Amino acid sequence: MAAVPRAPFRPPRQARSRATLDRLLAAAEALLAEKHFAGATVSEIVARAGSSVGAFYARFPDKEALLECFDERFFASARAQWDAFLAPPRWEGASLADVVSEIVLLLVRKNRANKALLRALALYYRSRPDPRFRDRAARTNDYVLAKVGARLRARPGITHPDPALAVGLGLQMVAAALREQILFDEGYVARGIDDDTLARELARAWLAYLAPGGTHAHAPGSRRDAHRPRRARHGPRQGR
Amino acid sequence: MAAVPRAPFRPPRQARSRATLDRLLAAAEALLAEKHFAGATVSEIVARAGSSVGAFYARFPDKEALLECFDERFFASARAQWDAFLAPPRWEGASLADVVSEIVLLLVRKNRANKALLRALALYYRSRPDPRFRDRAARTNDYVLAKVGARLRARPGITHPDPALAVGLGLQMVAAALREQILFDEGYVARGIDDDTLARELARAWLAYLAPGGTHAHAPGSRRDAHRPRRARHGPRQGR
DNA sequence: TGTACATCAGTGAACGCGCGTTCACTGATGTAC
DNA sequence: TGTACATCAGTGAACGCGCGTTCACTGATGTAC
């Protein structure tokens, strides 16, 4: 109650205001799918939530705190999901190719599932000149790299002379490409490509970068079905 | 004088107003390096240019036309530069690895040299919900892919089962990664990497994706110095 | 060369709009005794 | 169970600020004869 560095919002104390907060967040996220953060006005958010501007400012100190709230929630959930995903029992006997494939697949799914929010966050943070925001934008990436990098480098088979660089830059290439593809609907021939093909090809490229010779004869296809799609809602709402 | 679809700005007719226009554009570009398009106000632009708002609106119909003017100029210059770069005599005896390397190097240099402008354009176009702007953002990319793709596929050595996909998606990975790296100063381990290493590694990854086995024993190192750096101003002004 | 006029170029105060934010007020929920 | 009071929650008109844009005006440059 006292050590909180900067309360992103005053937490609700009654069920009623909690419901209002949920409606506000849902309305804001829906609006962010249609326009960027600056374009989604407070009046429009509260109107869509069936609330009022006063209720909004009773919860948040200002408009920016809304994005911060989203960011906190998303980062916490993403971290938990990656921790669960990377738990050791899942990876016994998995080859380098398996690990790469599944990481890329999860990246694609997370970007697809949280497209609107991630796009809004990326645009907002990147439009701020303050480097504090730049770090904020890369926070999830950094976390994933720290966790994923260790697991990847633990596998044998990386023939690139600088494994850490190949892991990090490979992740950057993969993540950057699928962000442009999924979040911003840009992309070269990839415009209109489906998510599974995208994931497969990005994994193939990353793997080839890590091990140009091709050392993926490890546990041949044994784990092709290891990832029960736990929250598989990667829709094909592509294109146009 | 009559068939112009939508004049981005009224062209100057005296030397004096041409100089004013130049100062306006220079001031705007300098400001775009510090803040995004919406943050660079007309008042601030004209103040920095030593001009006035009236002079601005005598030249441009509205503020957006300023960005359009930049876009037109940049796209035309980029197209010319790529056409010159891809002229056939340059490429006699060049291996697949040579072509990939030089393309990536040019991409890195162009992004570095036009960092402020490209970032502002990317942010602006990506923040518009209208797909017209999305296409606008990908315009240069599409052009490069059309030109570069043909030249790459003309080389022997691509062992990927779908060469067009490998060329296109590879270009997307490379371009997306270096955009995040250079334009937005993001990136994983790559934060702090120098441009030459970045170019070399991105080229290595793309090449490995095109030809996983490694068929770059073609013209062994013969063209390592083929690219006289014609406008080599890729500075090491890297991360903060 | 000179004069009259048209057009180009530039100025900056003023306008209007839209936005985030405030605030005086009403109603709902919890709590103490 | 009832009553008094404090706090939570919500309302929406009004405010103020900053921005893009306009406009009445002055000065500079070109042109016709």
Side-chain angles (χ1 to χ4, degrees), chain A residues 34-193:
Chain A
E34 299 169 16
K35 40 191 80 174
H36 55 297
F37 182 62
T41 69
V42 173
S43 315
E44 211 171 349
I45 292 172
V46 299
R48 188 175 287 215
S51 183
S52 65
V53 284
F56 182 95
Y57 282 96
R59 211 45 65 198
F60 301 102
D62 51 29
K63 194 191 172 193
E64 195 174 82
L66 177 75
L67 256 206
E68 248 176 89
C69 179
F70 274 129
D71 192 22
E72 291 301 331
R73 287 186 169 205
F74 183 79
F75 183 57
S77 124
R79 201 163 45 182
Q81 194 173 354
W82 279 105
D83 287 345
F85 178 79
L86 291 169
R90 190 194 191 95
W91 303 105
E92 290 170 16
S95 70
L96 185 65
D98 291 332
V99 182
V100 167
S101 295
E102 302 210 13
I103 288 169
V104 173
L105 200 57
L106 183 57
L107 277 172
V108 167
R109 283 180 183 165
K110 282 193 73 65
N111 274 272
R112 175 66 68 194
N114 303 98
K115 170 174 173 171
L117 195 49
L118 285 173
R119 186 183 58 201
L121 285 172
L123 281 175
Y124 184 73
Y125 288 149
R126 287 178 181 178
S127 70
R128 306 279 112 180
D130 188 341
R132 197 180 76 85
F133 288 101
R134 195 245 348 247
D135 295 341
R136 194 96 185 199
R139 192 165 58 144
T140 304
N141 296 341
D142 290 342
Y143 186 81
V144 170
L145 178 63
K147 292 281 186 175
V148 158
R151 182 148 307 277
L152 266 185
R153 290 198 301 275
R155 298 285 134 188
I158 299 183
T159 57
H160 190 287
D162 186 342
L165 181 63
V167 168
L169 198 53
L171 179 57
Q172 182 177 357
M173 290 181 72
V174 168
L178 66 86
R179 265 193 284 270
E180 289 200 354
Q181 171 72 26
I182 295 179
L183 264 38
F184 302 113
D185 297 301
E186 294 174 16
Y188 296 74
V189 285
R191 220 171 307 182
I193 211 175

Side-chain angles (χ1 to χ4, degrees), chain B residues 138-156:
Chain B
R139 192 167 56 147
T140 305
N141 295 341
D142 289 342
Y143 186 81
V144 170
L145 178 63
K147 292 280 185 176
V148 157
R151 183 149 306 278
L152 265 185
R153 290 197 301 276
R155 297 286 134 190

Side-chain angles (χ1 to χ4, degrees), chain A residues 9-26 59 73:
Chain A
F9 67 101
R10 204 167 59 83
R13 313 207 170 177
Q14 295 178 9
R16 183 165 52 128
S17 60
R18 173 170 302 278
T20 301
L21 175 60
D22 289 343
R23 276 183 290 121
L24 282 174
L25 290 174
R59 211 45 65 198
R73 287 186 169 205

Side-chain angles (χ1 to χ4, degrees), chain B residues 82 85-86 90-91 95-111 144-145 147-153 155 167 170-171 174-175 178 199 202-203 206 210 224 227:
Chain B
W82 279 105
F85 177 79
L86 291 169
R90 190 195 191 92
W91 302 105
S95 71
L96 185 64
D98 291 333
V99 182
V100 166
S101 295
E102 301 212 13
I103 288 169
V104 173
L105 201 56
L106 183 56
L107 277 172
V108 167
R109 283 180 183 165
K110 282 194 71 67
N111 274 271
V144 170
L145 178 63
K147 292 280 185 176
V148 157
R151 183 149 306 278
L152 265 185
R153 290 197 301 276
R155 297 286 134 190
V167 167
L171 179 57
V174 168
L178 66 86
L202 291 178
W206 191 4
L210 290 168
R224 195 61 265 154
H227 52 86

